[in-house]
Amino acid sequence: MYPIVHADKLAANIYRMVVRAPRVARHCEPGQFVIVKIDEEGERIPLTICDYDREEGTITIVFQPIGASTQRMKELGEGDSFEDFVGPLGKPSDLIGMDPEELKKKKIIFIAGGVGTAPVYPQVKWLHEHGITADAIIGAKNRDLVILEKEFREVCNLYITTDDGSYGRSGMVTKCLEDLIEKEGHEYNHCVAIGPMIMMKFVCLQTAKYNLPTVVSMNPIMVDGTGMCGACRLSVDGEIRFACVDGPEFDGHKVDFDQAMKRMTMYKTEEGRALLRLQEGETHHGGCGNCGGDK
Ligand code: NAD
Ligand code: FES
């Protein structure tokens, strides 16, 4: 069992939990995810790691209750436990593998949207611990939905923007990025954008104009997180990829967002899944180890 050592609410419908999982905490890197399961009946929920403490043996997760399992999860508190807490899964962020001296030459901008702010945090913190101070934009619908502001301020140069202008700058993250680059003279050569699919799509359209390499996290299209359900299939540079096995991070300029969003909607209904099977054949990846997948 994996006990919850701390639980709090970050904003309306956004919850944070610190879970004791020493083995995951020992091995995880920024960009990776875990799969949590409340009990025997619970669904598997893939969540990108928000923070980790190797000494304490804990992992921090942040989630937004949307389905039945996450609704049940929000009822859990300190002293409750998860039956399963599997990880670390997926590939770490590319930044982690880079030579620190090369990294220091980079001018990095992180773009975090809504709940997607949580998975950005470990990357920004990791860079700070390695002597690199990046810029970061946090975008939220309004003041009440801005999360982790204090944590970000400690590890980066932070710009906050709200859609309704109730806090920080006014407008979406794309407006803030445009202002930073076009009006305020900032120069960047690496961008990481994590948030809703539609945000990542529009950030990528914008950064393509600036010739600014952009990494995105395709966690939102994952369902079981094991490479077997086929939900997270996407097209990257015309090739079939699976977010949970080959990602979750990809070159955003090569991701077909329109197809991924359409597929995500279809995957939600039985009829849609049947249609996908008809169009794509068996959609699973071969994570079962028996069939060789459908690549
Ligand atoms: P939201 O709808 O409040 O959007 C957050 C910010 O994204 C907005 O404030 C705005 O600045 C920007 N944005 C939204 N639409 C945009 C557009 N068309 N153009 C430019 N910018 C735009 O976000 P939310 O409700 O907190 O997000 C929930 C979504 O985040 C869920 O769909 C979830 O799947 C996703 N999410 C993604 C990740 C990931 O790894 N990519 C992680 C956690 C959550
Ligand atoms: Fe099921 Fe990736 S989430 S195959």
Side-chain angles (χ1 to χ4, degrees):
M1 298 295 269
Y2 300 86
I4 298 164
V5 295
H6 176 76
D8 61 353
K9 191 172 175 176
L10 292 177
N13 216 29
I14 306 179
Y15 296 81
R16 169 168 62 186
M17 284 176 179
V18 181
V19 180
R20 191 170 307 286
R23 200 193 59 79
V24 185
R26 226 175 8 254
H27 298 291
C28 70
E29 297 289 359
Q32 291 187 293
F33 68 96
V34 291
I35 294 178
V36 307
K37 202 168 157 228
I38 299 175
D39 52 26
E40 206 51 46
E41 283 88 54
E43 285 168 333
R44 303 159 61 85
I45 307 164
L47 292 167
T48 312
I49 292 167
C50 169
D51 200 2
Y52 52 88
D53 185 325
R54 299 208 200 281
E55 281 178 20
E56 292 291 321
T58 56
I59 297 285
T60 303
I61 49 174
V62 169
F63 64 98
Q64 194 176 34
I66 24 173
S69 292
T70 39
Q71 286 293 348
R72 281 182 64 210
M73 212 168 125
K74 82 170 194 214
E75 304 303 332
L76 301 179
E78 219 173 292
D80 292 322
S81 296
F82 288 103
E83 182 182 286
D84 247 340
F85 198 90
V86 181
L89 299 166
K91 295 183 176 159
S93 156
D94 280 350
L95 293 171
I96 310 307
M98 283 184 199
D99 175 353
E101 290 313 310
E102 283 304 307
L103 265 182
K104 279 181 187 152
K105 293 181 199 150
K106 285 198 178 290
K107 198 73 190 92
I108 306 170
I109 176 89
F110 286 89
I111 303 183
V115 196
T117 301
V120 171
Y121 178 65
Q123 300 197 28
V124 179
K125 183 180 169 192
W126 185 92
L127 285 172
H128 181 73
E129 286 168 355
H130 288 76
I132 300 149
T133 305
D135 285 1
I137 300 171
I138 291 182
K141 287 194 186 76
N142 59 49
R143 181 184 196 117
D144 295 340
L145 293 174
V146 174
I147 60 168
L148 304 174
E149 177 181 354
K150 182 175 150 291
E151 288 84 347
F152 270 75
R153 286 212 187 280
E154 286 167 3
V155 294
C156 68
N157 304 316
L158 182 63
Y159 303 90
I160 292 182
T161 187
T162 48
D163 299 4
D164 67 356
S166 55
Y167 190 50
R169 298 173 180 226
S170 180
M172 293 189 177
V173 291
T174 38
K175 162 91 170 46
C176 183
L177 180 64
E178 183 182 296
D179 288 348
L180 289 176
I181 293 177
E182 295 185 19
K183 294 189 182 154
E184 296 165 42
H186 291 259
E187 285 180 15
Y188 300 108
N189 52 25
H190 189 90
C191 173
V192 178
I194 305 184
M197 294 281 281
I198 192 75
M199 179 203 94
M200 296 191 288
K201 173 186 164 172
F202 279 98
V203 167
C204 287
L205 287 174
Q206 189 183 17
T207 56
K209 283 194 298 189
Y210 299 137
N211 248 334
L212 173 58
T214 302
V215 172
V216 295
S217 170
M218 299 302 283
N219 178 293
I221 57 174
M222 288 187 205
V223 172
D224 75 347
T226 63
M228 291 173 79
C229 73
C232 69
R233 176 175 162 143
L234 76 160
S235 168
V236 182
D237 209 14
E239 301 270 319
I240 294 171
R241 291 282 180 267
F242 289 80
C244 65
V245 179
D246 305 311
E249 294 190 354
F250 295 96
D251 177 342
H253 293 158
K254 294 185 175 164
V255 170
D256 185 336
F257 283 101
D258 291 336
Q259 189 204 60
M261 285 189 281
K262 186 169 164 226
R263 215 180 166 277
M264 189 167 85
T265 308
M266 286 173 77
Y267 200 89
K268 285 185 180 145
T269 66
E270 205 169 305
E271 200 187 345
R273 288 193 295 276
L275 191 57
L276 284 173
R277 262 196 302 279
L278 205 66
Q279 290 171 347
E280 300 173 347
E282 280 305 318
T283 57
H284 72 285
H285 177 254
C288 56
N290 297 320
C291 69
D294 61 350
K295 268 189 179 178

